[in-house]
Amino acid sequence: MTSNNIKQLDKEYIAQTYGRFDLALSQGKGCDVWDFEGNQYLDFTSGIGVNSLGWADDDWLSAITTQAGKLQHTSNLFFTEPSSQLAKKLVIASGLKRSFFCNSGAEANEGAVKTARKYSHDNYGTGRSTVLTLVNSFHGRTISTLAATGQDVFHQHFFPFTDGFEYVPANDIEALKTRLNANDVCGILVEVVQGEGGVCALNNDYLQAVQSLCQQKDLVFIIDEVQTGIGRTGTMFSYQQFGLQPDIVSLAKGLGGGLPIGAFLLGEKVENTLGKSDHGSTFGGNPVACAGANVVLDKINAEFLQEVQRKGQSLQQKLQVLPKVKSLSGLGLMLGVEFEESVSASDVVAKCIDKGVLFLTAKSKLRLLPPLIISDEQIDKGIAVLKEVLESY
């Protein structure tokens, strides 16, 4: 099979919903991946933040293949070891109380919204069901999580969207206070770093004020850690860098190390809100996916996280001095690069692919989400290629 064969099959048989890079990947190991012709590429994308341990980590691979040979799926009518172990690890790591497993970030956010609305209904009755999110946010591609997403570009074609979501400007606490005066809000959903919105981090003072308002008004404080969680920003969860304690945390992407798994974690206020039959997922807590996720959590220890912080700082320093760079944003190994107007981020990505390095975009920015295991030497290699490309403008 050649790359052209793969591309032709895609064009003929797969729904054409993705703006793919002109590259068909065959296999990977660590931070390197190869196409079908044997060309090698250094990866700064990790499958949009999913391959947290890189490609085909030996321990991860052993765990999922062993588990697949024992139980590949059971449904949630039975207890399994991998999901129970993973739930405990997530509770300990987060400081919350319970875990619910699903398959994606969108599903995790849907479950978080359902929990917030049920909590409010249980305690206050009807008329208090609105969930506030932020302008420029992104929470998924289902009808409801699109409705929760605070970007007009996503609010096209698929009307009617789910009611009960409104958007307030990020980092504007007075606007939030004003909106809360209507007393119809049950929860507030935020990303500490708005990933798809351009890798924009929220202000510490704003986050503290949001948490305080949720506590004062008994609102459910939800943090979307789908892209920022599982060590991506240098702590297990990004909210831990700001001393926050949310009521619900949504997860996916890096949790499974490459397999599809999502989760939402429930804090003390809402730990018993969902009862039997209130929510479910056929594939949620899949033993193979949970086996992979257990390896991910076992490897992301304090020493590992310190290295993510160090490498993130080093990468920022090296990006800052590159030509045509206007500004940087993000935390840890989740970084956005804004270029001068003469430079197109998508054009930079294409040119870097030609030179053997894979990057991403987020709106008009270059986005870097390398595997958390990336080495200093590999960072230097990627920076050297990026510098060469930027010097050509």
Side-chain angles (χ1 to χ4, degrees):
M1 190 69 73
T2 67
S3 292
N4 285 337
N5 293 147
I6 297 295
K7 294 171 189 176
Q8 184 58 41
L9 288 171
D10 183 292
K11 183 178 180 180
E12 188 170 355
Y13 296 110
I14 294 181
Q16 298 296 290
T17 59
Y18 299 109
R20 303 194 199 275
F21 300 136
D22 188 25
L23 181 62
L25 299 179
S26 171
Q27 62 188 48
K29 188 67 178 177
C31 295
D32 293 310
V33 65
W34 289 262
D35 65 18
F36 284 83
E37 287 68 45
N39 299 305
Q40 183 174 343
Y41 302 86
L42 175 59
D43 180 29
F44 276 75
T45 74
S46 61
I48 315 183
V50 169
N51 298 334
S52 41
L53 302 180
W55 305 84
D57 174 85
D58 290 339
D59 296 324
W60 177 87
L61 188 59
S62 175
I64 64 172
T65 52
T66 299
Q67 183 59 50
K70 295 165 64 177
L71 290 172
Q72 79 270 30
H73 176 73
T74 63
S75 87
N76 285 296
L77 296 175
F78 305 94
F79 300 99
T80 66
E81 182 180 5
S83 63
S84 300
Q85 291 178 330
L86 180 59
K88 180 180 179 180
K89 291 172 186 176
L90 287 171
V91 164
I92 292 171
S94 66
L96 277 70
K97 296 292 186 179
R98 296 185 184 275
S99 307
F100 181 96
F101 295 117
C102 50
N103 310 285
S104 68
E107 287 179 71
N109 284 328
E110 291 250 5
V113 168
K114 285 179 67 175
T115 305
R117 286 181 173 164
K118 187 172 188 295
Y119 174 84
S120 185
H121 188 270
D122 288 348
N123 289 278
Y124 300 98
T126 59
R128 195 175 184 266
S129 59
T130 300
V131 173
L132 297 183
T133 69
L134 303 183
V135 174
N136 202 45
S137 62
F138 182 86
H139 299 293
R141 292 184 180 275
T142 65
I143 289 293
S144 290
T145 53
L146 280 177
T149 292
Q151 298 187 56
D152 289 341
V153 67
F154 293 105
H155 300 155
Q156 311 294 328
H157 314 305
F158 308 113
F159 302 101
F161 290 99
T162 308
D163 290 334
F165 297 95
E166 292 186 26
Y167 325 110
V168 293
N171 297 318
D172 186 343
I173 198 63
E174 293 306 318
L176 177 58
K177 289 179 179 178
T178 298
R179 178 59 189 81
L180 291 177
N181 288 334
N183 295 318
D184 63 343
V185 173
C186 67
I188 301 174
L189 169 61
V190 304
E191 304 158 277
V192 172
V193 182
Q194 296 181 326
E196 302 299 324
V199 200
C200 303
L202 300 186
N203 295 337
N204 177 56
D205 290 347
Y206 178 75
L207 289 167
Q208 299 296 332
V210 171
Q211 177 169 266
S212 179
L213 285 169
C214 287
Q215 292 168 346
Q216 292 169 24
K217 296 179 178 292
D218 198 21
L219 310 177
V220 178
F221 183 29
I222 310 167
I223 296 185
D224 180 337
E225 292 267 3
V226 170
Q227 191 167 141
T228 53
I230 316 300
R232 173 56 54 185
T233 65
T235 47
M236 184 63 78
F237 307 101
S238 64
Y239 67 80
Q240 293 171 325
Q241 297 185 39
F242 299 87
L244 302 171
Q245 190 57 68
D247 299 310
I248 305 178
V249 173
S250 58
L251 302 169
K253 289 193 182 291
L255 176 59
L259 290 177
I261 183 172
F264 58 94
L265 312 181
L266 303 168
E268 184 174 4
K269 181 157 76 174
V270 295
E271 64 172 312
N272 296 314
T273 295
L274 297 177
K276 287 184 172 56
S277 300
D278 283 334
H279 199 47
S281 171
T282 297
F283 292 103
N286 173 269
V288 177
C290 287
N294 274 306
V295 172
V296 172
L297 287 189
D298 288 343
K299 292 205 169 193
I300 300 181
N301 55 28
E303 182 180 357
F304 187 101
L305 290 168
Q306 287 177 355
E307 275 295 283
V308 172
Q309 293 176 24
R310 183 191 64 78
K311 288 184 288 191
Q313 292 168 359
S314 173
L315 183 54
Q316 285 196 53
Q317 292 168 359
K318 291 168 181 176
L319 288 167
Q320 284 174 341
V321 296
L322 291 180
K324 306 296 183 180
V325 169
K326 184 177 179 181
S327 69
L328 299 179
S329 59
L331 294 172
L333 288 174
M334 178 180 179
L335 299 175
V337 184
E338 181 186 16
F339 296 122
E340 296 174 2
E341 289 185 7
S342 61
V343 179
S344 161
S346 58
D347 187 51
V348 169
V349 168
K351 290 181 177 180
C352 287
I353 289 175
D354 289 341
K355 295 180 180 295
V357 179
L358 309 182
F359 293 107
L360 296 164
T361 60
K363 289 196 167 180
S364 62
K365 294 180 181 179
L366 187 76
R367 177 168 42 160
L368 292 80
L369 294 171
L372 303 182
I373 61 165
I374 194 167
S375 68
D376 292 305
E377 292 75 20
Q378 288 168 324
I379 287 174
D380 288 342
K381 179 180 177 181
I383 289 292
V385 169
L386 185 56
K387 180 180 179 183
E388 181 182 353
V389 169
L390 291 173
E391 286 176 339
S392 69
Y393 285 91

